Amino acid sequence: MVADATHIRPLIFFLFLCLISVFAALWLRGGTDATPFAIVESLVAGFHDHDTDRKEAIEPAPAAKIELGAQIAPSQNFSFSPTDHADHAAEDQNVCSRPRTKARSDVDTQIYYKWVDEDDQTHMSDERPVDVIASVVDLSMKKQDFTYQIRSDGVSVPVDFPGQFSAGSKRIYDTWHFFLGEKKLRQSRIEVLLIGGSDRFNAIHAKASPNSKPVNGFYRMSKNQAVVKFDPTNKEQTLRTTFHEVSHLITGSHLGPTPPWLTEGLAEYFETMEVKGQMGTIYPNQAHIKLLRKTQLPRLKNYLSIDRPEWHGADRDRNYAIAWSLMHFLLQGAPGMYAMQEVIQQAEESFCKPFSAVDALEGAYPGGLHRLEQDWRKWLSNSDFQIHQT
């Protein structure tokens, strides 16, 4: 009997190791902040990205580094129209295998807040205002929390594009400053690749996302890169698409994978921004409003539970329109903006781990989802679509 136990014990130990390996593999599928495991995943992701680059053989023109605070051309009157979108689920997962960037608190700062009230009066303070998402200005100028590069492929970049892009994207980042605060905000280095010509852009997109629907832009979390089709006859659309994709990059780098209503809602919200000086004006999306007026809306709880495959099904355009409307409503003022702040803070704490944004929203909005649905539908029926200043 002793001999039999001696032979069995190594076998049991081997099976135990196999079981631990399986659990570890499953856990890593969702990503991890544990450094030893993250390094291994980064090597795998890096190998995949290298292969993608080799196949695409993109040879962009020399990069133009963008400085924040550039002079902005006179504002333009945007006319909004629906655009096609890609399925971003796979790209969002890539952030989980990449070492996280430094926290914003690692940079010495001397910040103040700037905002415009209902009477069009500008205010500045070293304390964050209540019920307002303010612009954040760093007086220390020691190190930028947020830098960009614009690269071009077959594009002559308009003189005013870099200034409008950098100022508008900074406004997106200021909203995230409200969401997460100084200590949890991450430093970002984002690259924008402008592709000239539909054929060239479509070929690159087809290699990056085979069998996906036509789009005007897409992003790569592994590279912090937004790839945008440049249309010289519609520069406003190019800028809107760039804001949309940059929003995805910022959301992914701070939260990891998120449900479509959250990441697409934010991207659709920022897509309609117009830049004036260093301030951003976010307009209601008229194309989405027109669609919603003739669409039967689902129950909110059912909509928030839609997964990616269903999201890109027959009701795809409706889903994007609802996501925009919900985010525009929530960020219109208290209590919605504080509910979104709570949801995003919980998501950041659960970075690349199991997390229910629906449950978080249920608990964060006063009265839960039932009251949120009532308030949101009333807002839609009253057409109370305010312009937001940031």
Side-chain angles (χ1 to χ4, degrees), residues 20-278:
I20 291 297
S21 300
V22 170
F23 278 116
L26 291 174
W27 179 57
L28 286 173
R29 287 183 65 187
T32 176
D33 289 333
T35 302
F37 296 110
I39 291 174
V40 174
E41 286 193 315
S42 299
L43 291 174
V44 174
F47 176 79
H48 173 73
D49 290 339
H50 175 75
D51 183 65
T52 302
D53 289 345
R54 181 182 59 79
K55 290 179 180 178
E56 292 181 5
I58 302 175
E59 296 181 359
K65 291 187 177 180
I66 304 306
E67 299 292 337
L68 296 180
Q71 294 297 316
I72 307 301
S75 61
Q76 303 184 31
N77 188 13
F78 291 165
S79 58
F80 303 117
S81 59
T83 58
D84 291 323
H85 305 275
D87 184 353
H88 305 298
E91 273 300 329
D92 289 350
Q93 290 288 348
N94 284 338
V95 76
C96 298
S97 60
R98 191 182 66 196
R100 300 198 71 183
T101 57
K102 290 183 179 181
R104 179 66 176 82
S105 57
D106 292 346
V107 182
D108 292 332
T109 59
Q110 182 183 348
I111 63 175
Y112 72 88
Y113 302 93
K114 181 179 178 181
W115 70 98
V116 179
D117 64 18
E118 295 179 352
D119 298 323
D120 204 31
Q121 298 296 311
T122 300
H123 301 266
M124 292 183 289
S125 173
D126 59 355
E127 296 184 359
R128 183 188 297 278
V130 178
D131 297 346
V132 174
I133 299 177
S135 298
V136 182
V137 181
D138 186 356
L139 296 178
S140 66
M141 302 299 289
K142 291 182 179 179
K143 183 178 179 181
Q144 294 177 347
D145 56 356
F146 184 41
T147 58
Y148 299 95
Q149 253 188 356
I150 294 181
R151 296 183 180 275
S152 60
D153 183 345
V155 172
S156 178
V157 180
V159 174
D160 60 345
F161 183 88
Q164 289 181 314
F165 160 71
S166 61
S169 297
K170 182 63 169 62
R171 300 286 75 78
I172 298 176
Y173 210 69
D174 287 346
T175 303
W176 278 88
H177 198 288
F178 163 77
F179 287 151
L180 293 176
E182 186 79 358
K183 292 184 179 180
K184 293 187 176 180
L185 204 63
R186 316 298 298 184
Q187 297 175 38
S188 296
R189 292 175 177 82
I190 293 175
E191 177 181 298
V192 174
L193 176 59
L194 298 177
I195 305 295
S198 295
D199 292 342
R200 174 65 171 154
F201 174 85
N202 292 338
I204 293 173
H205 177 243
K207 291 180 179 179
S209 302
N211 302 319
S212 60
K213 296 181 179 180
V215 296
N216 290 324
F218 63 98
Y219 65 91
R220 296 166 171 156
M221 282 305 319
S222 58
K223 297 175 178 290
N224 258 23
Q225 183 185 65
V227 185
V228 178
K229 178 170 62 177
F230 180 81
D231 183 354
T233 67
N234 193 349
K235 299 175 185 177
E236 293 80 11
Q237 179 61 63
T238 301
L239 190 63
R240 294 198 298 271
T241 302
T242 304
F243 288 152
H244 183 106
E245 304 306 332
V246 166
S247 174
H248 278 305
L249 291 172
I250 296 174
T251 301
S253 64
H254 284 88
L255 308 185
T258 54
W261 69 265
L262 177 54
T263 183
E264 299 297 351
L266 285 168
E268 292 290 307
Y269 173 77
F270 289 119
E271 185 175 309
T272 62
M273 178 166 50
E274 179 182 347
V275 176
K276 295 180 180 179
Q278 292 300 304

